[in-house]
Amino acid sequence: MASATVPLLDDDTIPFGEEDEMRDPSRASQKYTHPYVTFFHLFFRGASIVIYMFCGWFSDSFITSFVFVVLFLSADFWTVKNISGRLLVGLRWWNYVDDDGKSHWVFESRNSPSYQSRINKHEQRIFWLGLILCPFFWGLFFLMALFGLKFKWLLLVMIAIALNAANLYGYIKCNYGASKDLNSAATDFMKTQLFKNAFDIMTKPNTAAPPTNVRPTGVV
């Protein structure tokens, strides 16, 4: 098995999800340039967690709950791997088998300054937060199912962890390179995100306008 980090392949087609932006340049200044992609990036992940937590309120059938959670997990895995990662952060990972039957893992990243300047920072932050936080929730569910001796639910949680961890691992590889140690890459990424969010909060200007209808009271 081999892995590589290469630039995304250049082509003459309009990137998926950016057709309207190509026709209307003013979309680049909007807060969210891919609102539907951003929504579904979080929707499938959140829906699978919510269904897992509250499925007992609507059905006593484990099979029904299992099927619905796996369906949303599968939709989330496909959406994050093939759509939201490419459009929101310019990253993509995939696998192919060569003529000799050897499996190759490819981790691609658009690092050109012209492309990086087009990435929406709000969408980028949402992408990484959703990618990192959801595996922590499933890890908590794993401990609850393990210590609660709920082994049938443990199988479902392990499927969720595997699918979420696969995308997290792939995109960290894309972002930091296939040759860098994953533990140090994850640590560096978490530190960068924490400092960046703290800096944004501290330096964010106060946009609240002063009241215009205040009249002098005459009281000294």
Side-chain angles (χ1 to χ4, degrees), residues 8 14-19 33-42 44-45 74-94 108 110 115 119 123-124 127 131 167 171:
L8 288 176
I14 298 176
F16 176 79
E18 298 185 5
E19 295 85 354
T33 55
H34 304 95
Y36 296 109
V37 177
T38 305
F39 170 77
F40 283 106
H41 174 74
L42 297 177
F44 291 126
R45 320 204 111 206
S74 302
D76 166 69
F77 179 81
W78 185 89
T79 302
V80 174
K81 180 180 180 296
N82 297 298
I83 298 179
S84 62
R86 178 188 175 197
L87 294 181
L88 302 185
V89 292
L91 304 174
R92 182 172 63 181
W93 64 274
W94 51 286
E108 301 177 312
R110 285 190 183 273
Y115 188 85
I119 293 179
E123 295 177 345
Q124 184 183 45
F127 174 84
L131 199 67
N167 268 325
Y171 282 117

Side-chain angles (χ1 to χ4, degrees), residues 78-214:
W78 185 89
T79 302
V80 174
K81 180 180 180 296
N82 297 298
I83 298 179
S84 62
R86 178 188 175 197
L87 294 181
L88 302 185
V89 292
L91 304 174
R92 182 172 63 181
W93 64 274
W94 51 286
N95 172 268
Y96 72 94
V97 180
D98 60 20
D99 296 335
D100 297 329
K102 187 177 181 180
S103 179
H104 298 266
W105 292 91
V106 182
F107 303 92
E108 301 177 312
S109 173
R110 285 190 183 273
N111 294 321
S112 62
S114 60
Y115 188 85
Q116 289 296 320
S117 63
R118 292 170 52 194
I119 293 179
N120 185 287
K121 300 304 179 184
H122 297 287
E123 295 177 345
Q124 184 183 45
R125 187 178 296 109
I126 290 174
F127 174 84
W128 286 111
L129 286 176
L131 199 67
I132 293 172
L133 290 180
C134 288
F136 281 105
F137 281 104
W138 288 112
L140 179 62
F141 296 151
F142 176 84
L143 295 177
M144 294 172 62
L146 180 63
F147 290 109
L149 301 180
K150 300 178 180 179
F151 297 110
K152 61 181 182 180
W153 292 103
L154 194 62
L155 173 63
L156 178 58
V157 173
M158 291 174 65
I159 294 174
I161 291 176
L163 294 176
N164 280 261
N167 268 325
L168 179 60
Y169 177 87
Y171 282 117
I172 289 179
K173 280 275 195 177
C174 293
N175 198 44
Y176 287 96
S179 60
K180 187 172 183 179
D181 179 71
L182 184 60
N183 292 328
S184 61
T187 302
D188 293 343
F189 173 78
M190 291 296 295
K191 290 180 180 179
T192 301
Q193 291 298 316
L194 289 175
F195 281 115
K196 183 178 180 181
N197 291 334
F199 181 79
D200 290 342
I201 293 174
M202 294 175 62
T203 59
K204 186 177 180 180
N206 186 6
T207 58
T212 57
N213 57 351
V214 177

Side-chain angles (χ1 to χ4, degrees), residues 42-64:
L42 297 177
F43 173 75
F44 291 126
R45 320 204 111 206
S48 60
I49 293 176
V50 171
I51 293 174
Y52 176 83
M53 294 176 61
F54 301 106
C55 59
W57 291 12
F58 305 100
S59 174
D60 294 330
S61 173
F62 169 75
I63 299 299
T64 301

